[in-house]
Amino acid sequence: MRIAVTYENGDIFQHFGRTEQFKVYDVDNGRIVSAQVVGTDGRGHGALAEVLNELGADTLICGGIGGGAQAALAEAKIKLYGGASGDADAAVEALLAGTLKFHPDVQCSHHGEHHHHEGGCADHSHACGSHGCGAH
């Protein structure tokens, strides 16, 4: 298993399409055996699914993520755990323990806005998917 996390300063970066780094964890028998930080070479949004494919990642932990990127990940058969926040290492440990807090219906629907409020895109109280309006 190879888990990628959107990454900035030790934490889960909150906007998938703008992440500049992933921390990639190799997992064997439910334990982390190695980890490395990898840059995205300036690629963003849907192109990041290709970056994850190139890295051999089969799982992604991130904060907010838009519908197009979600579709690209699904097409690449990368399992998504969106709406997560906090320390990246702790999130991977929580995923392996089955206790990761994430939001399966996370959506980042306000591209172009600056995320100055607590929680960024992962604050699912303002995400379209959290109140059932459905379409973007």
Side-chain angles (χ1 to χ4, degrees):
M1 177 181 223
R2 188 162 237 213
I3 302 169
V5 180
T6 52
Y7 189 76
E8 184 178 61
N9 298 321
D11 288 329
I12 299 167
F13 185 68
Q14 291 300 300
H15 192 298
F16 173 78
R18 294 190 181 151
T19 193
E20 294 180 6
Q21 296 179 318
F22 290 106
K23 188 164 184 181
V24 181
Y25 301 79
D26 288 308
V27 176
D28 190 28
N29 290 324
R31 299 184 65 212
I32 298 169
V33 294
S34 68
Q36 63 179 330
V37 176
V38 179
T40 62
D41 295 326
R43 294 186 277 182
H45 293 277
L48 291 173
E50 183 180 320
V51 172
L52 292 171
N53 242 350
E54 292 167 3
L55 292 171
D58 53 37
T59 303
L60 171 68
I61 299 173
C62 68
I65 183 167
Q70 288 182 33
L73 291 172
E75 187 173 311
K77 295 182 176 36
I78 297 171
K79 180 129 177 79
L80 172 63
Y81 294 90
S85 61
D87 182 80
D89 294 347
V92 172
E93 291 288 353
L95 176 64
L96 296 175
T99 60
L100 178 66
K101 289 182 171 54
F102 68 100
H103 303 289
D105 63 349
V106 69
Q107 295 197 25
C108 187
S109 59
H110 44 266
H111 291 197
E113 291 181 22
H114 297 282
H115 299 288
H116 293 291
H117 56 282
E118 185 74 26
C121 285
D123 178 3
H124 68 288
S125 64
H126 65 270
C128 193
S130 67
H131 57 74
C133 71
H136 279 280

